[in-house]
Amino acid sequence: MPDDRLVLTGPRLADGRTVDVALSAGRIAAVGTPGSLAGPAAEGVDRVDLTGWLLLPAPAEPHAHHDTALTAAGPPPEQTPTALRRRVTEAALAQLGHGATAQRTHVRVGDAVGLTALEAVLEVRRSLQGYAELAAVAVPRVLTGLAGAENRAVLRDAAKMGAGALGGAPDLDPDPAGYLDIVLGLADEHGCAIDLHTEADDPARLARLASAAGACRFGVAIGPCAGLSLLPHDVAAQAADRLAAAGVTVVCLPQGPCGLSGGGGGSGGTPARLLAAAGVPVAAGGGALRDVANPVGRGDPLEAAYQLASHGALRPAGAYAAVSGRARAALGLPDVRIEAGFPAELLAVRGETVAGALSLAYSRVVIHRGRVVSRTSAVREYSGTPGDAGGGHGLPRQSTG
């Protein structure tokens, strides 16, 4: 029996079943009734007791900004390679601890920073192999005209270096249509996906983007699209229909804006319900992780799903799908189901239901490629003496969550 085999015993699934789950070679090998997969005498089998835990497909982070993360407090952040690698590593590990075994970070390229931040992200990606999958989106500022000539060259170099997607904010360029044409052309040339920041408050511009995206071979994501909520309902609905027809994913930022989202983040910004009803894949990302755009950003996928569900944008199951299955799809990753043959990218949280997990899930076990890569344990203690604990009403002195 392979020595990488792991059996998760006794977790509850979202459908209510209690099971054992065998993992091997980075995949789910089998799902069976409790006690059916590996007895005590099985050799070479590690076991993790997940009785009382809910087992879910692991979330993913489709929209991070690791190069600026953790910089809200203090002086302007250092941009040296060492400082950048430290920030990116700390941010990636923080999000891994929340459960995000796959992460896509938008990275500034061009202008004063050149390719330094991208190089740091790519180095961290290599160092985190086996712990998390880290992908980069190259984000230039101005791309068109004489002012954008150097950034166009840098963006081309970024694609050659290994940026898996090309992005930026066309709305902030003097020629948004020209910016989009440049990104589309380079993405097609180098086989990159596209991931753009836009408020989507200009229907004509959005229609052009949707039309161009339909011909893109490697996937198109845009976000946060909070401007759609400011348009008349029929106009926004037409725009949603166009995005659905073009296969464009919308990544909303329920926890707050990022530096390029124009302040349009937040749980009430993106009309997720309208988009989902039209058939647009809606994913949710963390955006800023304690940088100047959102100094209290948590970068927690379950927090993003909680925000969507608590504001009625999506039901709990749909909200969790926005940070798991649809987030993975936005990154071009295969689906995860807790069935034999699927990737062993899993998150276990204390609780019994998805709604309960979104409400109060502090304790977490994170599994990447069939291996436990992070554990978080939370214990709440209630003060008092043994004689008066709970006021004599049988309340627990201690609980886990």
Side-chain angles (χ1 to χ4, degrees):
M1 186 174 292
D3 59 8
D4 67 344
R5 189 175 173 93
L6 177 68
V7 175
L8 312 176
T9 62
R12 180 188 294 266
L13 303 185
D15 62 12
R17 289 180 294 153
T18 298
V19 297
D20 282 359
V21 180
L23 313 178
S24 182
R27 293 193 168 268
I28 297 173
V31 178
T33 57
S36 66
L37 298 183
E43 297 181 0
V45 178
D46 290 328
R47 299 162 65 86
V48 176
D49 184 2
L50 292 179
T51 304
W53 296 70
L54 179 70
L55 187 64
L56 300 166
E61 172 52 74
H63 191 120
H65 287 266
H66 288 345
D67 57 332
T68 60
L70 311 169
T71 59
E78 293 183 53
Q79 298 297 330
T80 64
T82 299
L84 283 162
R85 286 194 299 270
R86 184 174 61 249
R87 286 203 299 272
V88 172
T89 300
E90 187 174 351
L93 290 177
Q95 294 206 304
L96 175 63
H98 292 317
T101 62
Q103 304 169 25
R104 174 184 279 181
T105 177
H106 294 248
V107 185
R108 292 281 195 182
V109 299
D111 299 323
V113 72
L115 291 167
T116 304
L118 178 62
E119 290 169 346
V121 169
L122 296 179
E123 286 186 39
V124 174
R125 180 176 70 181
R126 289 188 288 271
S127 70
L128 290 181
Q129 284 183 353
Y131 289 90
E133 303 292 337
L134 184 61
V137 184
V139 178
R141 291 184 183 269
V142 174
L143 275 182
T144 63
L146 184 61
E150 184 174 345
N151 283 350
R152 292 195 294 274
V154 169
L155 188 60
R156 184 181 298 274
D157 290 341
K160 294 177 181 178
M161 285 174 56
L166 306 182
D171 300 351
L172 303 182
D173 192 280
D175 179 6
Y179 188 111
L180 180 60
D181 287 341
I182 292 167
V183 172
L184 286 165
L186 286 175
D188 186 68
E189 178 183 348
H190 294 280
C192 296
I194 294 172
D195 196 335
L196 298 167
H197 292 71
T198 180
E199 291 304 301
D201 55 0
D202 184 326
R205 190 179 300 164
L206 192 61
R208 188 180 188 282
L209 188 155
S211 177
C216 185
R217 296 178 294 152
F218 300 101
V220 178
I222 62 175
C225 297
L228 278 175
S229 63
L230 304 177
L231 300 176
H233 182 272
D234 60 334
V235 176
Q238 290 176 0
D241 289 340
R242 292 192 184 98
L243 294 174
V248 175
T249 296
V250 170
V251 180
C252 59
L253 303 177
Q255 297 175 84
C258 69
L260 287 177
S261 67
S267 56
T270 308
R273 183 184 296 178
L274 179 147
L275 290 164
V280 178
V282 177
L289 175 60
R290 301 206 303 277
D291 66 18
V292 294
N294 185 359
V296 297
R298 295 183 182 180
D300 183 351
L302 268 63
E303 169 74 10
Y306 160 81
Q307 292 284 351
L308 288 172
S310 65
H311 288 83
L314 297 171
R315 291 185 174 275
Y320 188 75
V323 301
S324 56
R326 287 196 290 275
R328 285 182 60 86
L331 273 57
L333 297 173
D335 192 21
V336 173
R337 302 178 194 170
I338 304 180
E339 301 174 12
F342 283 86
E345 303 291 323
L346 303 168
L347 171 66
V349 298
R350 284 281 185 184
E352 297 183 349
T353 65
V354 172
L358 300 189
S359 174
L360 200 67
Y362 299 124
S363 297
R364 306 183 191 188
V365 176
V366 184
I367 295 170
H368 173 54
R369 295 184 179 177
R371 186 171 70 93
V372 174
V373 292
S374 175
R375 295 175 186 260
T376 301
S377 298
V379 176
R380 177 181 288 114
E381 295 185 351
Y382 301 95
S383 62
T385 64
D388 63 12
H393 296 293
L395 298 179
R397 294 191 62 212
Q398 192 177 83
S399 64
T400 57

